[in-house]
Amino acid sequence: MTALSIRELASRHWFYLLLPVWLAASWSLRGAPMWNQQPKLGEAIVLFDWCIFMPVLFAVCYRDMPRRALALRMLALFCGGIWLAGQIVPPEAQDLLGFGAGLRWVGLIVLLLFEAAAIMAMLRIVFGAAPSAAALERQGIPPVIARLMVLEARFWRWVWKRLTGK
């Protein structure tokens, strides 16, 4: 990779460069004295950062993504943010997180239903009469992954034909 392509990649996917920095900053709060003085404020800060701020940053970074795919990824980040906040906030300071756990399960069920529908659509495209990488890309799958999926489907068709003698 050249320096230009690395710079272009970093400018296009800056969210993933920011993520470890934000995680390290949040994890450093774990031992902060604020948990003894103002536990609700600390919990609110961590929940805001991981359940609102990070999904919004993701949306800003990937605003060109199809709306449905962006919404699902933001929902996944929200659910992951609730889990991560549960890891960062000490157990004795967890007040709002009890309510958030129920929201997380609802969000995960919604994600599971959408993922099941996406898998069914993907399987129809990949194992249909003429697998098309372009059709997979329209479903929100990255181009490289779409091409690999079509290649894998062709491989398994070839194996099946060899095994059955057709």
Side-chain angles (χ1 to χ4, degrees):
M1 283 189 134
T2 65
L4 181 62
S5 64
I6 291 173
R7 190 176 320 130
E8 181 183 326
L9 189 66
S11 69
R12 190 177 329 155
H13 302 289
W14 54 265
F15 175 80
Y16 290 108
L17 295 175
L18 179 65
L19 194 60
V21 174
W22 208 264
L23 181 61
S26 289
W27 199 259
S28 70
L29 286 176
R30 194 167 165 77
M34 87 171 142
W35 300 114
N36 296 329
Q37 299 163 355
Q38 296 176 326
K40 289 186 180 191
L41 177 64
E43 183 184 29
I45 289 171
V46 171
L47 281 170
F48 175 81
D49 282 352
W50 289 103
C51 296
I52 296 171
F53 187 68
M54 292 311 279
V56 168
L57 274 183
F58 182 85
V60 169
C61 184
Y62 295 106
R63 61 188 166 273
D64 297 333
M65 186 180 288
R67 296 288 178 222
R68 183 176 138 201
L70 183 63
L72 288 174
R73 286 176 175 90
M74 286 178 66
L75 179 61
L77 281 170
F78 175 80
C79 293
I82 292 173
W83 175 83
L84 188 61
Q87 302 303 311
I88 294 171
V89 176
E92 60 275 0
Q94 292 183 7
D95 187 38
L96 296 171
L97 281 167
F99 174 70
L103 284 176
R104 180 173 163 242
W105 283 108
V106 170
L108 289 174
I109 290 169
V110 169
L111 285 173
L112 182 67
L113 292 174
F114 275 102
E115 286 299 321
I119 288 171
M120 295 305 293
M122 177 198 62
L123 289 175
R124 267 188 258 115
I125 292 169
V126 170
F127 291 107
S132 167
L136 288 170
E137 289 174 30
R138 284 191 296 274
Q139 295 290 324
I141 297 174
V144 173
I145 304 296
R147 282 188 230 114
L148 288 173
M149 290 171 68
V150 169
L151 285 173
E152 183 183 7
R154 288 180 183 153
F155 168 75
W156 288 113
R157 283 182 180 182
W158 177 81
V159 168
W160 181 252
K161 285 179 183 177
R162 294 289 179 231
L163 290 173
T164 60
K166 294 182 180 180

